[in-house]
Amino acid sequence: MTRYVALLRGVNVGTTRLAMADLRRIVTDLGHEDVKTYLQSGNVAFGSTVRDAEKLAAGIARALTDELALTVPVLVRSGRELAAIAGGNPYADREDDPTRLLVAFLATAPRKSTVDALAAPGGENVSFTVTGREVFLHYVDGGYGRSKFTNAYLEKKLGVVATSRNWKSVRALAEMTAS
């Protein structure tokens, strides 16, 4: 049994509403075990014998569409991947405020050319590091809420689906998926 977290993009932050009880039920009905949600923003940890994260993501996305008529991107990371992310933030020792540190989870690794061309918009003081399917973000002069360096910006510039979590959430999800 491997521990995973599914990260749903855009749930309960805009017009897409999803009760976490429904999310837990759907993931449980798919045959996964020890299903737990974190906060109200589409984070669900679970255990599964399935070893293919893309297959897990597709199954959850399909069930959300079939049962609740919701079409939302779903990204899945294993507990091992989350542990590496939580232990590998290049900005963690520079910032005490976890709201200024975020991780943007990407559906796939972006092309090198798009990563090389990525820059903070309008001279914003944002540090970022792209590592595989994650972008570590440090909002030096403020938080994500006032920045233009958002999921939509990353998706447009990198050409991949993204969903971001603040550092407190990343650490909590890593703990929830620790074996």
Side-chain angles (χ1 to χ4, degrees):
M1 180 82 47
T2 302
R3 296 287 299 161
Y4 294 96
V5 67
L7 306 160
L8 283 62
R9 184 187 184 282
V11 170
N12 296 340
V13 292
T15 58
T16 303
R17 293 287 177 225
L18 173 61
M20 294 300 99
D22 288 337
L23 180 56
R24 285 190 300 273
R25 178 187 52 76
I26 285 170
V27 173
T28 300
D29 288 351
L30 289 170
H32 307 305
E33 298 179 13
D34 192 25
V35 177
K36 297 175 183 168
T37 53
Y38 177 72
L39 301 176
Q40 298 293 315
S41 55
N43 306 297
V44 59
F46 58 95
S48 181
T49 57
V50 176
R51 299 278 186 193
D52 184 337
E54 288 182 29
K55 185 176 180 180
L56 291 167
I60 294 168
R62 187 172 40 258
L64 288 166
T65 300
D66 291 349
E67 296 186 35
L68 302 175
L70 291 177
T71 303
V72 295
V74 177
L75 287 71
V76 172
R77 298 294 191 271
S78 70
R80 183 178 300 210
E81 289 172 312
L82 276 172
I85 293 163
N89 189 329
Y91 309 110
D93 62 345
R94 297 185 207 173
E95 183 63 61
D96 293 332
D97 183 352
T99 65
R100 291 181 182 220
L101 294 174
L102 283 85
V103 176
F105 295 88
L106 308 176
T108 59
R111 291 187 326 271
K112 183 179 181 335
S113 61
T114 61
V115 172
D116 291 345
L118 186 62
E124 286 189 35
N125 195 3
V126 177
S127 299
F128 62 91
T129 302
V130 181
T131 305
R133 296 182 301 154
E134 280 74 42
V135 181
F136 293 94
L137 301 161
H138 179 209
Y139 293 87
V140 178
D141 293 333
Y144 178 84
R146 290 180 296 234
S147 176
K148 292 180 182 173
F149 202 91
T150 62
N151 272 332
Y153 181 82
L154 284 168
E155 288 179 334
K156 180 179 178 183
K157 295 297 183 180
L158 296 177
V160 298
V161 170
T163 187
S164 297
R165 300 297 186 270
N166 70 32
W167 193 236
K168 181 178 178 182
S169 293
V170 170
R171 289 188 313 209
L173 293 169
E175 289 176 18
M176 289 175 71
T177 57
S179 298

